[in-house]
Amino acid sequence: MLPFTRLSSIARQFSTSIRMSYPSTISAIAISKTGGFDVLEKISIPFPKIAPGHLVIKVQYLGINFIDTYYRQGVYPVSSFPFVLGKETAGTVVGLPTDEAVLNDPDYQKRGYKEGSRVAVDLLSTHAEYISVPWKTVYPIPDSVSTLTAASALIQGVTAVSFMEEAYNVQKGDTILIHTVAGGLGLLMAQLAKSRGATVIGTTSTPEKAELAKANGADHVILYKNENTVARVLELTNGEGVHAIFDGVGKDTFDSNFEMIRRKGTLVSVGNASGAVPPFPPLKLVAKNIKLLRPTLNNYTYTPSEVLYYSHKLFSLLSDGTLRTQVFKEYPFTTEGVQQAQKDLTGGKTTGKLVIKVSD
């Protein structure tokens, strides 16, 4: 048997020969300035620089998320243009790291990467035909989960699992509120909370979305356009309020959350769909001794061991049917396709996940 150092040398030579066959340019979804939907375009960029500790991935699917719209609008700062969008990607490994320190790392070896492995990635600026990314950011996809399912579940799925474990650990007997419950994240949160034995209250905009939410674990769904959300939540909880609120809306729902949370409850600010929450006095928390968190997923998946932990957790829940993804629509990998996807996402008419198909 060849020693490991010899095998590493052969792997590096093989990887180098493979890299020579990569295209010199690739297509990507990018913006050249911030603004409306018209700034989104499919452009040609150089093939990404490959660092010794990176995996090279041929992309199959892109997940569309609100964070893409935040960068497009300038809500989140962009360092330079053109700026490649996207934070959720799935595809196939076509190039392995060449750094021997990486190849010898126990955390790397636990993942079993090989050329042809299917993987999902949570990393900014990855909406392109090929990406070169640090191995620590890459989630191995098991045989029991399709690449499409991984692309449609990664960010929302790991967010649901980590937020409902670390931001507020949902327990049997809890009553929780989810704003809004019929989107990609809301549906997964409803499923997960229900599987943990909680009573789930959700808000949404239409009867059709309400039925979908109920089919995915919500016990009560409030049509916020037609009903008084605060009054209904207090009615459902005998005036006590809910144990926790997971709020993906932001500005429009923030103040009313303080009326619906119970004493010593937890408010988890998940997103900014209606705009960022404005500054507020900390004394606002005093009336009920509530906890307020504004977590970010990447601080729950900061280390390689945390990524692997939540990878196993998410894909196990998908494999056994506890979590089920709902793909609203699959869009083409074109300028028009990504513009329409963001229009649909922000238009309030979608349910579940929006994905773009890049390749077979």
Side-chain angles (χ1 to χ4, degrees):
M1 179 178 292
L2 289 172
F4 183 79
T5 53
R6 175 61 176 154
L7 289 172
S8 296
S9 176
I10 293 172
R12 285 197 302 272
Q13 294 173 20
F14 179 72
S15 181
T16 299
S17 68
I18 292 295
R19 289 179 184 183
M20 291 174 64
S21 66
Y22 292 149
S24 59
T25 61
I26 60 172
S27 295
I29 301 301
I31 57 174
S32 296
K33 60 182 179 179
T34 57
F37 300 112
D38 60 321
V39 303
L40 293 163
E41 57 182 341
K42 180 180 176 180
I43 66 171
S44 180
I45 62 172
F47 193 90
K49 182 179 179 181
I50 304 172
H54 281 200
L55 288 164
V56 183
I57 298 164
K58 187 177 189 298
V59 173
Q60 291 176 273
Y61 289 100
L62 313 175
I64 303 299
N65 298 288
F66 272 102
I67 192 170
D68 306 333
T69 72
Y70 303 156
Y71 280 104
R72 188 253 302 162
Q73 294 171 319
V75 176
Y76 290 173
V78 171
S79 56
S80 62
F81 294 104
F83 180 77
V84 177
L85 291 177
K87 199 172 182 291
E88 186 175 34
T89 311
T92 304
V93 174
V94 294
L96 299 171
T98 56
D99 185 342
E100 287 191 13
V102 170
L103 298 173
N104 286 315
D105 189 311
D107 283 313
Y108 174 84
Q109 294 175 350
K110 286 176 185 176
R111 301 179 184 216
Y113 296 129
K114 60 184 179 181
E115 291 188 8
S117 294
R118 294 177 307 112
V119 293
V121 179
D122 172 14
L123 189 69
L124 191 61
S125 296
T126 51
H127 280 189
E129 287 181 294
Y130 287 85
I131 55 175
S132 174
V133 296
W135 65 270
K136 296 177 183 180
T137 66
V138 179
Y139 293 71
I141 303 174
D143 292 339
S144 56
V145 176
S146 71
T147 309
L148 174 58
T149 296
S152 62
L154 181 67
I155 289 183
Q156 278 97 346
V158 178
T159 297
V161 173
S162 62
F163 281 32
M164 288 192 162
E165 184 166 313
E166 298 198 50
Y168 177 79
N169 191 9
V170 177
Q171 301 289 318
K172 183 177 181 180
D174 283 348
T175 300
I176 68 162
L177 173 64
I178 300 170
H179 297 301
T180 61
V181 73
L185 177 59
L187 292 174
L188 291 173
M189 282 188 157
Q191 294 169 19
L192 184 58
K194 191 64 178 177
S195 75
R196 287 177 166 227
T199 297
V200 179
I201 304 172
T203 62
T204 194
S205 57
T206 68
E208 293 76 17
K209 288 184 177 183
E211 289 305 310
L212 177 64
K214 289 178 181 178
N216 282 271
D219 296 284
H220 310 280
V221 182
I222 300 166
L223 300 178
Y224 63 81
K225 292 183 178 180
N226 306 327
E227 301 178 75
N228 183 315
T229 301
V230 172
R232 183 69 176 129
V233 168
L234 293 177
E235 177 187 354
L236 290 169
T237 58
N238 296 317
E240 290 189 46
V242 295
H243 292 87
I245 299 174
F246 294 87
D247 185 359
V249 175
K251 178 173 64 69
D252 289 353
T253 51
F254 185 71
D255 284 337
S256 63
N257 287 332
F258 290 87
E259 301 179 65
M260 297 182 286
I261 197 77
R262 70 173 57 196
R263 185 178 66 87
K264 297 196 292 185
T266 300
L267 170 56
V268 185
S269 180
V270 178
N272 318 312
S274 68
V277 173
F280 68 95
L283 284 174
K284 201 173 181 70
L285 309 177
V286 168
K288 297 180 181 178
N289 280 16
I290 71 169
K291 299 173 185 175
L292 171 66
L293 297 93
R294 182 54 172 97
T296 180
L297 170 60
N298 294 118
N299 275 330
Y300 287 144
T301 56
Y302 187 80
T303 68
S305 59
E306 288 171 333
V307 170
L308 193 59
Y309 171 80
Y310 281 116
S311 175
H312 288 157
K313 195 97 172 178
L314 171 63
F315 291 131
S316 293
L317 292 168
L318 289 168
S319 296
D320 68 17
T322 300
L323 294 183
R324 305 173 306 281
T325 58
Q326 176 88 18
V327 176
F328 172 75
K329 188 175 179 181
E330 194 175 295
Y331 299 81
F333 184 51
T334 62
T335 294
E336 295 76 18
V338 71
Q339 288 181 358
Q340 190 60 52
Q342 285 207 13
K343 288 177 183 177
D344 290 348
L345 180 65
T346 57
K349 298 180 180 179
T350 64
T351 55
K353 186 70 178 186
L354 286 66
V355 298
I356 289 177
K357 185 173 182 180
V358 178
S359 66
D360 293 323

